[in-house]
Amino acid sequence: MDAKELPPGNGFSTLLVRLDSAYSWDDIRVVSGYCEPFKANFGHVEIPFPSTQPESISTLLVTLEGQNSFSVMSTLVEHFAQSIADALDSANAMYYTLLFPNDSSFEAKFQSISAALLYLLEDDNNVVTLKFVLAHVVSGRLSISDIFQQPGGTLTSINGLLISLQPNKGNLFLNGAELTGGNIVFSTYILHELGGFAFSPFTTVATTTIAATTKTTTTITTTTTTTT
């Protein structure tokens, strides 16, 4: 590696650094400006690891991690980053509405966040879990007011699943999951919070149908319930 001053005589405030062909910037974590006569470090710059996430997903993760209610969904988005990015590209929309269940929803269903992630990220469940995440994403930037006024009382997720909108005494339920907050706008997304699941994390069906599974059988038992 060598370095030269640009332009000459500027007190080394700007340096052009050229790496040997055997190295890349991925190999360098810190750049320091060390003065040999004074035996002092006059500059210390940490170089961040290059992001392996698609740009659209990186933006989404930064926002999710800045909230206190979406640690499970944030982990799922990070885990399925490339697949989600591909699905967004296929949907080919300018904006997206995220109808994400909050952490309390997962705690209620799985008893704890760690148990939820252990189940959802199990290799055997990856296909259903990815469908579950995509089922809570809708094309277009829809505010809460827009959702209330949605023609036909339905939305369609980017993977083609129907979301029924059910107003009740000033509140709004999406396939039985209450819309509890949101209107968090960032980049190409608007984020809303659900106090439940619009689709089951077990079978990717509407949450008005509860699926029960066991390790010893592949049979899925369903029971229809009524929200009161």
Side-chain angles (χ1 to χ4, degrees):
M1 181 189 300
D2 62 10
K4 66 179 180 178
E5 186 182 357
L6 290 177
N10 73 352
F12 289 91
S13 60
T14 303
L15 293 176
L16 173 65
V17 179
R18 181 170 54 246
L19 298 180
D20 294 334
S21 59
Y23 298 96
S24 77
W25 284 110
D26 292 347
D27 302 311
I28 309 297
R29 297 273 54 87
V30 175
V31 173
S32 295
Y34 187 79
C35 179
E36 291 185 351
F38 288 93
K39 296 184 175 12
N41 184 357
F42 286 95
H44 184 89
V45 179
E46 293 188 8
I47 301 176
F49 283 98
S51 173
T52 59
Q53 306 289 1
E55 184 177 354
S56 59
I57 302 302
S58 297
T59 303
L60 173 54
L61 285 172
V62 167
T63 301
L64 288 176
E65 290 165 2
Q67 306 295 316
N68 296 322
S69 317
F70 299 105
S71 65
V72 174
M73 291 304 292
S74 177
T75 301
L76 297 182
V77 169
E78 183 173 16
H79 184 80
F80 295 105
Q82 189 58 60
S83 296
I84 294 172
D86 291 343
L88 296 179
D89 289 343
S90 296
N92 196 30
M94 290 184 63
Y95 302 103
Y96 297 94
T97 299
L98 311 176
L99 306 165
F100 279 2
N102 58 25
D103 287 342
S104 296
S105 305
F106 291 96
E107 289 177 316
K109 179 66 70 176
F110 293 93
Q111 282 70 59
S112 70
I113 288 176
S114 59
L117 290 173
L118 185 65
Y119 176 87
L120 294 167
L121 296 178
E122 196 173 291
D123 288 345
D124 291 344
N125 299 328
N126 275 352
V127 172
V128 171
T129 299
L130 175 59
K131 288 181 178 179
F132 167 78
V133 175
L134 297 178
H136 289 83
V137 181
V138 174
S139 295
R141 180 181 285 176
L142 302 175
S143 68
I144 291 177
S145 176
D146 294 332
I147 296 173
F148 263 98
Q149 300 171 31
Q150 191 68 16
T154 60
L155 296 170
T156 302
S157 69
I158 61 172
N159 57 345
L161 298 178
L162 197 65
I163 303 171
S164 176
L165 308 178
Q166 304 138 351
N168 186 3
K169 297 179 180 179
N171 298 319
L172 186 62
F173 295 81
L174 286 70
N175 284 355
E178 185 175 5
L179 181 62
T180 58
N183 283 343
I184 304 168
V185 179
F186 59 100
S187 184
T188 58
Y189 304 101
I190 182 168
L191 172 65
H192 302 304
E193 180 177 339
L194 298 184
F197 306 131
F199 295 92
S200 167
F202 303 117
T203 61
T204 319
V205 296
T207 52
T208 49
T209 302
I210 307 300
T213 62
T214 69
K215 291 288 185 181
T216 56
T217 177
T218 57
T219 301
I220 297 178
T221 303
T222 63
T223 303
T224 301
T225 61
T226 302
T227 302
T228 58

